[in-house]
Amino acid sequence: MSYIERRRNLFYATLVIPPDVRERLGKFKFIQSLGTPDKRKAEALAAPVVAKWKAIIRRERGEGDALVNEALKWREVLAEIPAENDAGLDATTDAIVAKAERIEAQKGYAHAKRFADIAFGDATPSDAFYAEWSAQLKLSEKTMDQMRKDVTALLAHFPTLQEISHQSVKRWLDKLSKEGTSPISQARIASCCRNYWGYLQHRDAVPSDSEPFSRLAKGGSKRKAAGGSWEPLAAKEVVKLWKAAREGNDAVLADLVQLGAYSGARIEELCALKVTHVSVSSFRIVDAKTSAGIREVPIHSAIAPLVKRLKKASTDGYLLSGLTFNKYGDRSNAIGKRFGRLKSGLGFGPRHVFHSIRKTLVTLLENKGVSENLAADIVGHEKPRITYGLYSGGATLAVKAKALELVAYPVK
């Protein structure tokens, strides 16, 4: 849906106000000049403006914090009274104070002070710029959802921007820690909130020199939090996993584990693998986390019959047919959870994950004397040496296939 329209030489942001709030807002439509004749630029400029209007509509409908909404309405009343109208100012001030006293009697001093501070313009609701900030994010849908979730948690804990400080944020994170939030999650929350705070500084809503989200949680990497790196599985343990999956009537999971065992591909790469990217001798990874991950992987002779069967039986164009997408377009999410339940049921701990199978293959290659650079070409790692990393076009498919055929699992 477009929220811009051209008038003469410039574009304007527009939004028709829903009928249920038109009377309260006193208008039929929001409209604001964007000051540009460039359509693409106008669309970008319109996003935060429209988000702000939608927030006003939600407030008029009573959505959100009722106390904050009422305080904002009193704030608007005060702003509309002419400075020379002393009687009007006094009467409105008395009404706000009386309301604050009633709130204090019912909910306590903190709520009453928050109401009065917002009503008199001494405090700003922490979500005042949330809609604008959210609208201008330009990241993957999954990342944006996580950022919005983390910032929403901040807004729920701190109703006004003035309550957010380095010490209060530290106390909040300490509280989350006691409730079971991991150091990694705390670091992520702080990072997302820091992004929101930066937007507030850009909008001059908070001081430019305030940094309440700096020098806080030090979550480190997932590996450190798990007590070290993911551990490789022994070759016989990988076989145990795919046999257990097949015995448990989860043929797709068994096939996935075998494909990973003989290719070293990531679970996301295998689940996204389309039939059109699979030939008789290899398959191509066309979408990966890094540029090194874009590669052609030889099909090991041990899984050639499996790949042929899967390709022939596919009903949806994917080698692993029948997997479902989550809302982020990821086909590996559900089967990844099935793998988690399988390995936990067999007694494997948190440091054994599907990625461990990738490490198993690399370990087997190393034990067969395959060079680190060649192994990197097979599994899609960055080259460990600067010369090969910068200048080499990579090993040929034949060279990779010869190395991969050295890998064997104790299947009997």
Side-chain angles (χ1 to χ4, degrees), residues 112-150:
K113 185 178 187 304
R114 185 177 298 134
F115 170 83
D117 285 348
I118 294 174
F120 287 124
D122 296 324
T124 303
S126 57
D127 65 352
F129 294 88
Y130 172 79
E132 294 180 28
W133 166 79
S134 179
Q136 55 83 49
L137 291 175
K138 296 287 188 293
L139 299 163
S140 71
E141 185 180 355
K142 186 174 184 179
T143 300
M144 291 191 295
D145 278 356
Q146 185 62 67
M147 292 180 73
R148 288 164 182 150
K149 180 180 178 181
D150 288 340

Side-chain angles (χ1 to χ4, degrees), residues 183-352:
I184 289 175
S185 296
Q186 290 179 58
R188 186 203 66 234
I189 291 169
S191 176
C192 293
C193 293
R194 191 180 302 117
N195 184 286
Y196 180 59
W197 196 259
Y199 182 79
L200 294 174
Q201 290 175 321
H202 171 71
R203 298 286 277 103
D204 295 324
V206 296
S208 59
D209 58 351
S210 63
E211 299 293 343
F213 301 99
S214 297
R215 305 181 307 281
L216 290 168
K218 296 180 176 62
S221 69
K222 290 183 179 180
R223 294 179 176 182
K224 291 180 180 178
S229 177
W230 307 133
E231 290 185 357
L233 291 154
K236 63 180 180 180
E237 291 174 329
V238 176
V239 176
K240 181 179 180 180
L241 281 166
W242 84 55
K243 285 186 175 181
R246 204 165 297 283
E247 290 167 2
N249 295 318
D250 195 338
V252 179
L253 180 56
D255 293 340
L256 173 67
V257 174
Q258 281 188 271
L259 289 172
Y262 285 101
S263 68
R266 299 174 177 89
I267 187 171
E268 300 89 352
E269 295 172 344
L270 292 171
C271 292
L273 190 58
K274 292 186 176 181
V275 169
T276 52
H277 296 144
V278 182
S279 70
V280 175
S281 59
S282 68
F283 59 82
R284 291 181 291 113
I285 304 296
V286 298
D287 185 15
K289 289 184 175 181
T290 65
S291 58
I294 308 299
R295 64 198 188 280
E296 187 173 12
V297 183
I299 295 175
H300 193 290
S301 59
I303 57 169
L306 167 63
V307 174
K308 183 178 180 180
R309 169 174 62 80
L310 292 174
K311 189 175 180 180
K312 184 177 180 180
S314 177
T315 58
D316 55 11
Y318 289 91
L319 188 65
L320 287 167
S321 190
L323 300 182
T324 57
F325 289 94
N326 67 8
K327 67 177 183 177
Y328 304 112
D330 183 0
R331 298 180 83 243
S332 67
N333 186 263
I335 198 168
K337 291 178 180 177
R338 277 151 51 194
F339 177 83
R341 291 192 291 270
L342 174 70
K343 63 99 176 179
S344 296
L346 292 175
F348 295 104
R351 290 169 68 183
H352 285 121

Side-chain angles (χ1 to χ4, degrees), residues 60-106:
E60 289 299 324
R61 286 173 168 167
E63 300 173 13
D65 190 307
L67 186 147
V68 171
N69 287 343
E70 185 172 359
L72 286 171
K73 289 179 180 179
W74 280 109
R75 186 170 179 164
E76 291 174 359
V77 171
L78 267 180
E80 291 173 359
I81 299 174
E84 61 274 14
N85 186 352
D86 293 337
L89 289 170
D90 289 344
T92 303
T93 298
D94 290 343
I96 293 172
V97 171
K99 176 65 177 180
E101 289 173 347
R102 290 196 295 274
I103 293 173
E104 182 176 12
Q106 296 170 357

Side-chain angles (χ1 to χ4, degrees), residues 364-372 406:
L364 293 175
L365 289 171
E366 181 181 16
N367 290 335
K368 290 296 183 179
V370 175
S371 72
E372 192 172 357
L406 296 174

